[in-house]
Amino acid sequence: MAVTTLWPVLGSFAAAGGTVALGAYLWRRRGQPGATWLLAVFGVQFLLTAGYGVGFLVFDGTLRLGIEMLFWVSYIWLGTLFVGFGLTYTGRRYVIRSPYFAALTLFSVALTLLVVTNPVHNLVWSEFTVVSVGGLSAVTFERQAGAQLILGVTSLGASVGTLLLVDTILSYGKLYRREALAVALSPLPPGIGFVVWTFGVSPFPGINIAPVLFVLHVVLDAYAFVGSGMFEFHPATRRVGNRAAIADLGNPVVVVDDQRRVVNLNPAAEDAFGLSQQTVLTRRFEDCYTGDTVDPTVDRQDVEVRTDTGRRVFRVTSTGLYDSTETHLGHTLVFQDITDERQREQRLAVLNRVLRHNLRNDLNVVKLHLDHIGQQTGEDLENSVETARRNVADLVALGEKARAFERVADAGEDDVVAVTEVVEDVVYDARTDAEATSIEVRGTDSALARTKRPMLEVVLSNLVENAVQHGTPDAAPQQTARADGATADGEARGDHPDVLVTVAADPETVSVRVRDWGPGIPEQELAVIEDGDESALEHGSGLGLWLVSWGVTSLGGDLSFETGADGTTAIVELPVVAADSAVTE
């Protein structure tokens, strides 16, 4: 046999030897992402090249048929394994567990069976014959539809794997530009060999040059995978890190396009806003929740949003998204829950104001009367003592009120609470403290809410106390009368209690309404609570409404007021667990 006819054998064995060398290099790095899959690729590649190198020397028909089948089966699995390598190396391991990769694997198994059973059906090739070409064993056969199908599937797999690598490696910048080109070019030489062999247009009739062309494939792979240290700085860390930066971030993150439509959101956003990614994608974000509108064009803003846990205040940071040509594509919105921080700031401001204003003023009054108490007698003395005692009592009550709130502010777990029972307990205590005031309870026999009972008691106690102070009989003449002699809400004058507490429930909320017929809460008081700001020039006169506001927020509820010349109604709404519509009169 002439030396010139040995090049297919030598080329095949050279490709096999280079494949073994690459495998030995990667064996030390088999724990790195994608290395195990690439070792599997090299294993199949070795079987293909070494097997065909031997095949060039085998003239036995049965054995030569087995070697040809090994070639085709290896050819099939090269594409599938290379896709697996591309997915794991680039940080897309999750796709391997998907139905799509499972379908590709099952299809490869089916093609393998098609090749192995070809002698029965001849769907891959027919008229298989062993011939001698230049002293080498070669085969001729008629290619059937199965051969074209195998070529298409394997070529597609190689293309997908190559695109995954090129896209990811290029994302590292100039560092891997040449290596990316090597990865892109490496499948081409053997791919061309497969094509010309499958269609029978080889420049060397009867000789399959695909195994020989794997030499170029090995050289390019060696440059890309070994020379550049691509397994030292693999892209899986970067891709998984990018995914984790959004998916695993504790803060809600929403990505919107330039039309403010949702294109992505992380699990934290789904939980915070009660959303499902499948239902909100492509919808405008402001249509997906209840609350203030988020303007993506504003870099930093505070918004109040209604969530499953109640009203929450978020600080939203918006970052523009641009492609490589600086075309604006959308915004990334990162939400930071600052509800507790906002309340802490309010508490500090209010307590500071109480110390500077209420405490100073009341103590000044006490001091003034104590200074003159030795100069007074009779009724003047009694008035001074009573005034000093009343101011001291107010300060003690103020401290007790703040202490009661702080005691329950950060304590206790949510529990299912019968709201009407809490109301009745609060009203019972209020009746004991204010015997001259009539307080009536109306509402459902059973309205259940998941809430903290101690905090709910503090909230309702402050509301009822405020109503008692403003709803006494002395305040009743200030109500607005109608021509029929009734008050604005239809109650006949003199027929209503001083304070009316009503409990009602619907499928979503349970509400408690505390109604009095006094002069109404001053607009200044309500404005301070609604704005959430406390200043030296505009502040509430006491802690009561602030404690109510903070408490309702911590319970995940809503607080509102209906006020006018004929009285005030404070409304607390809480998420409902269950309700019974039976009403007690």
Side-chain angles (χ1 to χ4, degrees):
M1 184 183 301
V3 176
T4 55
T5 62
L6 286 179
W7 63 267
V9 179
L10 298 176
S12 297
F13 286 148
T19 300
V20 171
L22 283 177
Y25 169 80
L26 283 178
W27 183 258
R28 294 171 295 171
R29 293 164 175 77
R30 59 187 180 277
Q32 298 296 326
T36 301
W37 282 91
L38 191 56
L39 282 171
V41 171
F42 287 160
V44 172
Q45 186 173 303
F46 172 78
L47 291 176
L48 185 152
T49 53
Y52 222 86
V54 172
F56 282 126
L57 305 175
V58 173
F59 286 88
D60 179 79
T62 302
L63 186 56
R64 190 66 179 82
L65 175 62
I67 291 174
E68 193 67 26
M69 286 182 176
L70 177 63
F71 168 79
W72 283 88
V73 171
S74 301
Y75 181 22
I76 291 168
W77 285 97
L78 274 178
T80 302
L81 295 174
F82 194 64
V83 170
F85 161 66
L87 291 172
T88 53
Y89 179 75
T90 60
R92 298 178 172 93
R93 186 186 298 270
Y94 60 92
V95 178
I96 292 179
R97 297 188 292 269
S98 71
Y100 303 105
F101 192 79
L104 175 61
T105 303
L106 290 175
F107 196 61
S108 299
V109 171
L111 292 178
T112 299
L113 295 175
L114 191 67
V115 169
V116 173
T117 60
N118 186 76
V120 177
H121 48 69
N122 293 323
L123 293 178
V124 181
W125 64 74
S126 60
E127 302 179 15
F128 183 86
T129 305
V130 180
V131 298
S132 177
V133 177
L136 296 178
S137 172
V139 297
T140 62
F141 46 77
E142 291 293 328
R143 280 78 172 172
Q144 304 300 328
Q148 278 73 34
L149 179 61
I150 293 172
L151 173 66
V153 172
T154 304
S155 298
L156 180 61
S159 300
V160 170
T162 300
L163 288 175
L164 288 172
L165 293 173
V166 171
D167 172 69
T168 303
I169 295 172
L170 285 177
S171 69
Y172 276 83
K174 296 180 180 180
L175 179 63
Y176 287 127
R177 290 287 168 83
R178 288 175 296 180
E179 288 76 5
L181 181 60
V183 171
L185 293 177
S186 66
L188 291 180
I192 293 172
F194 286 133
V195 171
V196 300
W197 176 242
T198 302
F199 290 100
V201 293
S202 172
F204 307 97
I207 300 296
N208 185 353
I209 63 173
V212 178
L213 292 177
F214 266 99
V215 172
L216 295 176
H217 178 73
V218 168
V219 170
L220 290 170
D221 277 354
Y223 172 75
F225 297 126
V226 180
S228 67
M230 286 174 57
F231 280 94
E232 300 297 332
F233 302 98
H234 44 76
T237 302
R238 177 173 178 174
R239 177 169 294 276
V240 173
N242 288 339
R243 285 169 51 83
I246 294 180
D248 298 339
L249 190 66
N251 286 352
V253 178
V254 179
V255 181
V256 298
D257 63 13
D258 56 356
Q259 301 297 316
R260 303 188 182 185
R261 296 170 297 197
V262 178
V263 297
N264 194 15
L265 71 163
N266 67 349
E270 292 182 293
D271 294 340
F273 303 125
L275 305 176
S276 170
Q277 190 173 80
Q278 288 77 10
T279 59
V280 301
L281 292 182
T282 73
R283 292 177 56 193
R284 288 179 64 85
F285 182 51
E286 56 260 39
D287 298 333
C288 301
Y289 66 92
T290 302
D292 297 338
T293 299
V294 177
D295 186 354
T297 63
V298 178
D299 295 340
R300 187 183 177 93
Q301 60 195 296
D302 292 349
V303 298
E304 186 176 280
V305 176
R306 178 73 191 185
T307 71
D308 290 341
T309 58
R311 292 180 295 110
R312 309 297 295 179
V313 179
F314 291 95
R315 180 153 294 157
V316 186
T317 303
S318 177
T319 304
L321 295 175
Y322 300 87
D323 63 12
S324 58
T325 64
E326 296 301 315
T327 300
H328 182 259
L329 302 178
H331 295 85
T332 299
L333 306 174
V334 180
F335 293 77
Q336 180 184 0
D337 192 333
I338 61 170
T339 308
D340 295 338
E341 176 186 338
R342 177 72 63 85
Q343 281 204 359
R344 283 193 294 270
E345 292 175 353
Q346 289 178 346
R347 290 185 199 179
L348 289 174
V350 171
L351 292 176
N352 180 57
R353 186 263 302 161
V354 168
L355 289 174
R356 289 187 296 105
H357 180 77
N358 296 56
L359 185 60
R360 181 188 60 194
N361 287 356
D362 287 351
L363 287 179
N364 281 338
V365 172
V366 172
K367 180 178 181 300
L368 177 64
H369 284 275
L370 289 178
D371 287 343
H372 294 84
I373 209 168
Q375 306 171 10
Q376 298 173 336
T377 58
E379 185 176 346
D380 290 339
L381 177 60
E382 292 178 4
N383 289 337
S384 291
V385 171
E386 176 59 25
T387 300
R389 186 200 64 80
R390 186 171 58 251
N391 278 269
V392 170
D394 288 344
L395 288 176
V396 171
L398 191 66
E400 287 297 326
K401 188 177 295 186
R403 181 171 176 270
F405 179 84
E406 291 298 331
R407 189 169 56 247
V408 301
D410 301 314
E413 298 292 333
D414 285 353
D415 195 7
V416 176
V417 174
V419 177
T420 303
E421 293 182 6
V422 179
V423 169
E424 290 174 345
D425 289 345
V426 168
V427 168
Y428 177 83
D429 292 339
R431 285 171 178 158
T432 303
D433 295 337
E435 297 180 357
T437 304
S438 60
I439 309 174
E440 184 176 334
V441 178
R442 300 177 187 174
T444 61
D445 287 331
S446 178
L448 304 181
R450 185 171 297 280
T451 187
K452 295 181 177 66
R453 178 174 181 133
M455 179 60 77
L456 182 60
E457 290 176 345
V458 170
V459 167
L460 297 180
S461 295
N462 277 277
L463 286 177
V464 171
E465 177 185 333
N466 185 77
V468 168
Q469 293 175 353
H470 295 86
T472 59
D474 293 339
Q478 301 180 49
Q479 65 194 12
T480 301
R482 299 191 318 197
D484 58 3
T487 58
D489 65 350
E491 292 274 1
R493 288 199 307 266
D495 294 338
H496 58 70
D498 296 321
V499 177
L500 175 62
V501 184
T502 305
V503 182
D506 59 36
E508 295 184 355
T509 60
V510 53
S511 62
V512 180
R513 302 170 68 92
V514 181
R515 172 79 159 98
D516 68 61
W517 281 265
I521 300 176
E523 289 294 333
Q524 176 186 339
E525 295 278 339
L526 294 180
V528 169
I529 299 297
E530 291 174 357
D531 292 342
D533 294 324
E534 182 78 4
S535 67
L537 298 178
E538 182 178 49
H539 52 72
S541 59
L543 283 177
L545 292 182
W546 277 113
L547 299 182
V548 170
S549 176
W550 296 334
V552 172
T553 299
S554 71
L555 295 175
D558 289 303
L559 174 67
S560 60
F561 294 91
E562 297 173 357
T563 185
D566 61 341
T568 299
T569 301
I571 306 166
V572 175
E573 294 180 306
L574 301 171
V576 73
V577 174
D580 185 337
S581 60
V583 175
T584 59
E585 296 293 344

